[in-house]
Amino acid sequence: MVNIDEIIVGKSAAIEELKKLVDAVAKTPTTVLVQGETGTGKEVISRAIHELSGRKGKLVSVNCAAIPSELLESELFGHEKGSFTGASSSRIGLCGAAASGTLFLDEVGELPLPLQAKLLRLLEQREYRPVGADTTEPFTGRIVTATNVNLEAAVKNGHFREDLYYRISIQELYVPPLRERIEDIQLLAYHFIEQ
């Protein structure tokens, strides 16, 4: 059994509360939105959710801001041979790789609007269509998202779909920056030295 203290380092009141929430959320199939500033450990929280969930599949991570938008759909959903120039063979996407596991979408606030619609379908219908395919594939994984973007503001200014925001934020977790939990600095320093 995985120990949450081995994954999330810290003893501050804020981190202890976050650990309780992570432990509770991990045992549910719910979609989770992890929010916090850059460098606060959103990916660590996502890994903790996955490892404590007991899911048999693996954690598959993708940074939505690091992949060019024209390639992101193929990365997420896969593609059929010949579906575009350079597609010399069929390829399973990250959704397929996350079967029975967890798909972690980091920087979800950077997804282009057309892909937001496809992610919404994935969440609502639990299926996706690989690029160039005639049929859909079932999605059996869990989705955890993270962002440092204020998604409520992004919804208001038209950069993020409101319906998608409500789908990914069923459970929201906030990771406080280190300046709000200075008592964790020494523990983190020892942790990184050990690594």
Side-chain angles (χ1 to χ4, degrees):
M1 184 71 173
V2 178
N3 181 345
I4 195 166
D5 291 318
E6 294 171 5
I7 306 169
I8 303 173
V9 177
K11 293 290 182 190
S12 64
I15 287 299
E16 289 299 328
E17 182 61 28
L18 182 59
K19 286 178 187 177
K20 288 179 191 170
L21 288 170
V22 166
D23 193 44
V25 165
K27 294 169 177 60
T28 71
T30 251
T31 302
V32 182
L33 172 61
V34 183
Q35 294 182 299
E37 296 176 13
T38 299
T40 54
K42 296 182 294 293
E43 189 162 0
V44 171
I45 299 304
S46 301
R47 185 167 42 90
I49 291 168
H50 173 72
E51 291 187 18
L52 294 167
S53 72
R55 288 185 164 268
K56 298 197 185 329
K58 60 185 175 179
L59 173 67
V60 177
S61 300
V62 60
N63 183 332
C64 298
I67 300 172
S69 58
E70 60 274 4
L71 299 177
L72 194 52
E73 182 177 4
S74 174
E75 279 294 310
L76 285 175
F77 305 123
H79 61 260
E80 293 294 310
K81 179 179 178 178
S83 58
F84 54 86
T85 303
S88 57
S89 63
S90 294
R91 182 173 177 272
I92 188 171
L94 298 173
C95 289
S100 302
T102 304
L103 178 62
F104 173 54
L105 300 174
D106 197 9
E107 302 302 343
V108 72
E110 303 297 326
L111 271 180
L113 284 168
L115 267 179
Q116 289 179 29
K118 293 181 180 188
L119 178 57
L120 180 64
R121 178 177 175 84
L122 180 71
L123 288 163
E124 289 179 339
Q125 306 295 324
R126 306 297 296 172
E127 65 183 21
Y128 62 95
R129 184 183 307 270
V131 176
D134 295 327
T135 58
T136 59
E137 298 287 333
F139 179 70
T140 57
R142 176 188 203 162
I143 294 182
V144 176
T145 62
T147 186
N148 61 1
V149 172
N150 180 334
L151 289 183
E152 288 182 356
V155 166
K156 286 179 184 168
N157 65 30
H159 293 139
F160 202 83
R161 292 178 62 111
E162 184 175 22
D163 47 3
L164 178 58
Y165 171 67
Y166 288 118
R167 285 281 181 186
I168 64 173
S169 64
I170 292 171
Q171 177 66 56
E172 292 185 56
L173 300 177
Y174 172 71
V175 186
L178 202 51
R179 68 178 174 277
E180 293 178 11
R181 51 188 180 99
I182 56 173
E183 57 267 56
D184 290 335
I185 292 174
Q186 188 174 12
L187 286 171
L188 285 164
Y190 288 138
H191 172 74
F192 292 126
I193 289 168
E194 284 179 10
Q195 286 188 335

